Structure formats: structure tokens, C-alpha cells
Amino acid sequence: MRFVLVVGTTQTAQIPGISAAGGSPELLATTPSADAELLVYGEPVRSGIVPVSPSGCPTPAVVTRAVREILNFEVTVLDAGLSVPTGAPTVSVGASPGEDIRQVDPVPCAEDVFAEARHLGRSIPDEELVIGEAIPGGTTTALGVLTALGERESVSSSLAENPLSKKRNAVETGLETSNLEAGDAAESPGFAVEQMGDPMLAVASGLTVGALESGTEVTLAGGTQLLAAAALVRHAGVNDPLRVATTAFVANDETAAVEEIADDLNVDLAVTDPGFERGNHVAFERFLMGEAKEGVGMGGALWLAERAGVSMDTVRDRIVDVYARVVGDES
Amino acid sequence: MRFVLVVGTTQTAQIPGISAAGGSPELLATTPSADAELLVYGEPVRSGIVPVSPSGCPTPAVVTRAVREILNFEVTVLDAGLSVPTGAPTVSVGASPGEDIRQVDPVPCAEDVFAEARHLGRSIPDEELVIGEAIPGGTTTALGVLTALGERESVSSSLAENPLSKKRNAVETGLETSNLEAGDAAESPGFAVEQMGDPMLAVASGLTVGALESGTEVTLAGGTQLLAAAALVRHAGVNDPLRVATTAFVANDETAAVEEIADDLNVDLAVTDPGFERGNHVAFERFLMGEAKEGVGMGGALWLAERAGVSMDTVRDRIVDVYARVVGDES
């Protein structure tokens, strides 16, 4: 099994109030670079930051890293348009940072990046891939892609209060700018990403298509963003079995119809609950309040831990250790 | 412990007859990209090739990968000027492919790359780094740097017959072009690399200096090329303990004064003999004939196996497995 983290950026994240990842434009741009470092090295390296929300909610990378320290799985990071250099090793598939979906053609590289990621997915020899993401603003672009494909228009949020009307406004504007209506890109997933998506979606869906074509088992580790990637895979005509592994926080998000989208797409949904209510830590509290919910493959990491027979007690203890090491003592 | 592989290219490799890595200009350029993939994935991914010499000697990456499959150590690849894209994840430190040392200024990025690699070496949190290299033509540039620094002018070779006179001619021409005499760059290691070296040497020495400065233990995994990196570290004024771990093939190379250079530089030399004469395989035979000898951290990997109490029987069996998988059945 190889854990692949797809990290990138989109200017869509800079729309005020749509993302909890980072508190400033600089932090938003740095978060995916920092998340990759946390997962690979267990500490920030070049980025110099550990992403923590203003209320104290740490990046889900802390959770995924904690599971990795228990299971020792191998990680490969794919660059889906980072805008700040990372100290983590990355594979390039030719992606550039995405522009704001309210503009024309925010991801002009979508088709090329999909093709390159597909080629890579075919070539990686592992029998199983677990694919996560880190891209601030990504639920808004996921909504854009689901809408352009004609799928259920529902996404989760990294904020406790899902700013759905802001996301819908951005998608509306984007559709108008692109001269599209909902469902117009159902036959052309590459075009859906190019006009309404982000580079992570091109990379994750291309990698998945290539992996499935070569007989590799794929689990998409995330919430509605990776359901949007799954939708792109289905609209590319690939109907092999596919799993999305996410957290109970996303599954219980009443603003996001996660089970329904998974059903629509004929995707198995694995939901893992880390039992944070049985812990006592600021990190757990913020997740229980509905912040972050997912990201950096958190749901897939928890699912891998469960599959390996590791108790959530053990996972929580390790999360506290990683938090203490990278953020500091609980304040 | 983290195993860092520094991969790059230099046009110096294109001088006829100086390198066994790859049989054609294209293969020479592709070899480091392929070596990184073999180490990370256990198979070629994007490069499409497994470097094997015309006589059937496989890349030492097969040996290092075999040890990695036993010990499961983590690998990070640094891009020191690849000229062919690799499917392995890489960290960029701003290096470009090196030019021929017979020209002026073959590594103009040397100082910047050294600084960036030093910063990375300071930031990587592991307590121990083992640093290997893959750069065809690298013993000639190593000779260039040792000469420019005023150190013992002696290097090994990936060919059974060390083409020392060809290397010396190239270095002579390079010195003339750069208007330098032996020892002229003793006080300026960055200048030595810029005028007479390759980008791997800038990355490996910068990384080592940064790691040592932050209290990280460093083992340079290789032969005379990494002794040249050690020389750069010493000429940068860093006198911390430093180990070079190489193979018996390099240590027994009478054309290369490995022990003497290590003594000159106050570097501990660890020599590991994989006992290939006790195996029966074309790969072992070619190494016993004096081909390859080292590369892709082979000596360091063997040393790590020995330190972990893994027998060389076990290592040889795994080498045969990896060879069968990536090259095919013994012909």
C-alpha cells in the first residue's frame, strides 16, 4: 500500500470566509506545503509553520502523521500546483496553481495534468493506493465540478458553519463567466475541471483512472472533495470498484449529502470515527465542534488504522504526542 | 535514520569512455532518474528503463533497493540537476544539470544550491542521515574538485579499467579553461564546485554541512565521489565527525587511494563486503570483475544492513529477487 498525498492551491481559497485552512492569504498558500512536510518528516521543514486555525484546531495532517507513525506506510506527494516551495519530496505532473473559479479558465492545465497523472497511476507498481488531498478552498471547487458534471450540488466545509451560500455564489459566478449551466460538462470531465475545478481534482482523478486501469485498488481518502474526484472518474467512463474513506465528522455533516453522493456514484463509503469525545485535548475539542473535519487523507488514515487492528485509543494517544511535538503543549 | 539520495547529471559524463553508467547519451541522462525510481518504487516508473551495463552489470540501485526491502528505511530524493523527468518524488534545491568541466563555469548554481541544501540539512528533523548519490560521470568531476581543493588526486571508476588518463586530461583542460592550478580553490569550496565539479557535490556537501551544524549524524554512502563531498565539507571549515561508508570494491580499487583520502580528511571509513564471491549470479560476477563498484548509496546500504545484524546471505538473496523482478531471469 502506498499513501499518495495530492497537494496544491487555488486562488478560489482567497474568497473571504470560505476556508478554515490558514488565517491569512500567506497561510492559505503555505498550508499544503506545510502539510506535506508534516506527513513526510513529522515536522515543518521549509515552510516554517504548523497550520493551526485561529481557534486552535490543528491541521488534519497531525492525525494522518500520527497514524503513519504507528503503521509506517510509505508516502508519495504529488505536486498539484503548490505556490510555496515545500521541503517534502514531490512528483511533478505539470500542474500550476489554480486561479479563482469566478474567472475564465482557472485550470488551463487540467487535461494535460490528468493525462500525466493517469500515466503515473498506471506505472506505480503498488497493488493498492490510498489517495488524500490538501488544497485550501477545495470544497468550493469541488462544488463547482459537481455542478458542472450535473451531480448532486452538496459539499462539506472545514468551518463549523458551512458557508454554503458563499460557495454557491462563487460557483454561480463561475458558471456565468464560463457560459455554462449545471450539467453542461457531464460528458467532458477535463473541461469541468478546467472551467470550475482545481488542479488537485485533475491530479487525483487522473491518478485514480490510471491506477484502476492497471488493476490497482484505490481508496480516495477524504470527504466531498474526493467524492468530486470520484465523480470525475465516473464521468471519464471508469466504473471499477472505488472506495471513499472519510471521517465521521464529514459523514455527520448535515449540510453535505455524503452518503447520497457516494450512492449516486456507486462508490463504497467507509466512515471512521476516531472517538475524539473520549479524549481530552484542545485538538479533539475543535474537531468535535465541527472544524477541519477532514483533509490530508485523515479519513483514509483512520480507516487504515482500523483495518490494521489499531485501536482508536492508540491513535488518539499518538495524535496528542504529535500535537505536543509540532504545536507545543496544550494551552 | 533517513536515507537521502542526491541525483543529478553533468555533461562531463558524455566524454567518451569515462562512465559505465548507461551505454548511450540518452541512457546516461536517464540513469539517475531511473535509479531514484528503483529505490523508491522498486521498479522503473516514468523512466522506463533499468540501468544495466552492456556486459550485464545492473545499477547498484538494485543492491540498495534490496537492502531497503529488508530494513524499510525511509528515502528522500534530492534533485541535483536531473535532465530527464523522474516518477520518484524529489526535493528541489534549485539545481540545474551540470555542464562539461572542460568548459567555463560548468555549475554556475553551485553557491546557491549549497546554501539551499545547507538550509534543508539544518531543517530535516531526523537524528541521522545517510547520503548517497547517482550522477554518471561523477568520478571525473570528483577528481576535478579534489584537484582544485589541493587534495589527493585519486578517484575510483564504474569501469573495470579505470580510465584515469582520460579523467586527468579532462581535469587538466578544465583547470586551464578556468585559469586555475591545483589547490587554487582550497579556500573556496563553492568556487571549486562551480569551476570543476557537478551539482551533486554542491547538494551533498551543503546538506552535510547543514545536518552537522544542527547536530545530525551523517554518513556519506559512496566512494571517491562522496569523499570529494567530504573534502568540500572540510574545506568549508566543518570538522565534526563524519563517516564515509563504501563497498569493498571501491576500497580494494588500487587505482583509488580511498583510505589515504579518508585519513587526509579525518573521515571514518566503513567498508562492507557483500561477499558476492559466495553467490552465483551474473550481477555478482560483474561486480566481482570490478564493474560499477558503488553508487546509489550501495556501500552505505550494505553498512546499514550489517549494523542491523542482517547477514550478507540474506542481502544477496534479496538482490537476486530484485534483479529477477526488474531485469528478468538471469540470461
Side-chain angles (χ1 to χ4, degrees):
Chain A
M1 193 281 296
R2 180 177 300 272
F3 192 99
V4 179
L5 183 66
V6 182
V7 290
T9 57
T10 165
Q11 281 294 319
T12 310
Q14 307 288 354
I15 300 173
I18 66 160
S19 176
S24 70
E26 292 73 25
L27 280 176
L28 280 169
T30 308
T31 291
S33 302
D35 281 341
E37 293 176 354
L38 282 173
L39 187 55
V40 169
Y41 299 104
E43 285 182 23
V45 171
R46 259 186 196 159
S47 64
I49 65 148
V50 175
V52 174
S53 81
S55 71
C57 187
T59 166
V62 167
V63 175
T64 306
R65 172 70 195 188
V67 174
R68 186 174 179 229
E69 291 184 5
I70 299 167
L71 300 182
N72 289 312
F73 52 75
E74 215 172 327
V75 168
T76 300
V77 182
L78 302 199
D79 182 344
L82 290 175
S83 57
V84 168
T86 181
T90 59
V91 184
S92 170
V93 287
S96 308
E99 296 299 326
D100 189 325
I101 54 163
R102 295 173 302 179
Q103 297 171 14
V104 185
D105 219 13
V107 192
C109 62
E111 298 272 12
D112 290 346
V113 163
F114 178 92
E116 191 67 31
R118 179 181 182 174
H119 184 75
L120 189 68
R122 278 188 191 154
S123 310
I124 291 179
D126 303 79
E127 288 173 11
E128 182 183 8
L129 297 185
V130 175
I131 303 172
E133 58 71 34
I135 179 165
T139 54
T140 303
T141 41
L143 182 63
V145 160
L146 288 169
T147 305
L149 293 174
E151 295 291 342
R152 205 177 289 263
E153 297 168 21
S154 170
V155 291
S156 187
S157 171
S158 59
L159 292 160
E161 295 286 321
N162 193 347
L164 261 176
S165 65
K166 283 182 183 153
K167 295 180 186 178
R168 289 200 173 116
N169 283 340
V171 170
E172 276 306 312
T173 307
L175 288 170
E176 278 166 35
T177 312
S178 303
N179 209 9
L180 283 174
E181 297 200 13
D184 272 3
E187 308 296 318
S188 24
F191 187 69
V193 175
E194 191 179 298
Q195 298 304 322
M196 297 299 298
D198 63 53
M200 180 285 288
L201 289 166
V203 174
S205 60
L207 189 75
T208 301
V209 166
L212 292 174
E213 283 170 342
S214 64
T216 303
E217 189 185 328
V218 177
T219 297
L220 296 169
T224 41
Q225 293 176 244
L226 285 164
L227 281 166
L232 290 162
V233 171
R234 294 308 188 214
H235 283 258
V238 176
N239 293 308
D240 303 69
L242 186 57
R243 180 188 296 114
V244 168
T246 192
T247 64
F249 306 112
V250 168
N252 297 336
D253 179 356
E254 289 174 3
T255 67
V258 175
E259 282 185 32
E260 289 82 351
I261 306 176
D263 278 348
D264 294 347
L265 299 170
N266 192 23
V267 162
D268 291 329
L269 188 67
V271 176
T272 311
D273 185 342
F276 282 174
E277 72 284 355
R278 292 193 293 283
N280 177 24
H281 193 277
V282 63
F284 299 156
E285 281 165 26
R286 300 324 302 176
F287 275 94
L288 290 168
M289 295 294 284
E291 279 191 66
K293 293 190 189 73
E294 242 304 354
V296 199
M298 174 177 168
L302 293 171
W303 171 76
L304 286 169
E306 197 167 73
R307 187 173 75 169
V310 175
S311 78
M312 289 300 138
D313 286 0
T314 304
V315 171
R316 288 195 302 274
D317 286 350
R318 185 61 75 123
I319 292 169
V320 171
D321 288 349
V322 173
Y323 187 98
R325 193 177 69 221
V326 303
V327 184
D329 287 334
E330 186 179 354
S331 52
Chain B
M1 191 281 296
R2 181 177 300 273
F3 191 99
V4 179
L5 182 67
V6 182
V7 289
T9 57
T10 165
Q11 282 293 319
T12 311
Q14 307 288 354
I15 301 173
I18 67 159
S19 176
S24 70
E26 293 73 24
L27 280 176
L28 279 169
T30 308
T31 291
S33 301
D35 281 341
E37 294 176 353
L38 282 173
L39 187 55
V40 169
Y41 299 104
E43 285 182 23
V45 171
R46 258 185 196 160
S47 64
I49 64 149
V50 176
V52 175
S53 81
S55 70
C57 187
T59 166
V62 167
V63 175
T64 306
R65 171 70 195 188
V67 174
R68 184 172 180 231
E69 292 185 5
I70 299 168
L71 300 182
N72 289 313
F73 53 76
E74 216 173 328
V75 167
T76 299
V77 182
L78 302 199
D79 183 345
L82 290 176
S83 57
V84 168
T86 180
T90 58
V91 185
S92 169
V93 287
S96 309
E99 297 299 327
D100 188 324
I101 55 163
R102 295 173 300 179
Q103 297 171 15
V104 185
D105 219 12
V107 192
C109 61
E111 298 272 12
D112 291 346
V113 163
F114 178 93
E116 191 67 32
R118 179 181 181 174
H119 184 75
L120 189 68
R122 278 187 193 156
S123 309
I124 291 178
D126 303 80
E127 288 174 9
E128 182 183 9
L129 297 184
V130 175
I131 303 172
E133 59 70 35
I135 180 165
T139 55
T140 303
T141 41
L143 182 63
V145 160
L146 288 169
T147 305
L149 293 174
E151 295 291 341
R152 205 178 289 262
E153 298 167 21
S154 169
V155 291
S156 187
S157 171
S158 59
L159 292 160
E161 294 286 320
N162 193 347
L164 261 176
S165 65
K166 284 181 182 154
K167 295 178 186 180
R168 289 201 173 116
N169 283 341
V171 170
E172 275 305 311
T173 307
L175 288 170
E176 278 166 35
T177 312
S178 304
N179 209 8
L180 284 172
E181 297 200 13
D184 272 2
E187 308 295 318
S188 25
F191 187 69
V193 175
E194 191 179 297
Q195 298 304 323
M196 297 299 298
D198 63 54
M200 180 286 288
L201 289 166
V203 175
S205 60
L207 189 75
T208 301
V209 167
L212 292 174
E213 283 169 342
S214 63
T216 303
E217 189 185 327
V218 177
T219 298
L220 296 169
T224 41
Q225 293 175 244
L226 285 165
L227 281 166
L232 290 163
V233 170
R234 294 307 188 214
H235 283 258
V238 176
N239 293 308
D240 303 68
L242 186 57
R243 180 187 296 113
V244 168
T246 192
T247 64
F249 306 112
V250 169
N252 297 336
D253 179 357
E254 288 173 4
T255 66
V258 174
E259 281 184 36
E260 289 82 352
I261 305 176
D263 277 348
D264 293 348
L265 299 170
N266 193 23
V267 161
D268 291 329
L269 188 68
V271 176
T272 311
D273 184 342
F276 282 174
E277 72 284 356
R278 293 193 291 282
N280 177 23
H281 192 278
V282 62
F284 300 156
E285 282 166 27
R286 301 320 305 174
F287 275 94
L288 290 168
M289 294 294 285
E291 280 192 65
K293 293 190 189 73
E294 241 303 355
V296 199
M298 174 177 168
L302 294 171
W303 171 75
L304 286 168
E306 196 168 74
R307 188 174 73 169
V310 175
S311 78
M312 289 300 138
D313 286 359
T314 303
V315 171
R316 288 195 302 275
D317 287 349
R318 185 61 75 123
I319 292 169
V320 171
D321 289 349
V322 173
Y323 187 98
R325 192 176 71 222
V326 303
V327 184
D329 286 335
E330 186 179 355
S331 52

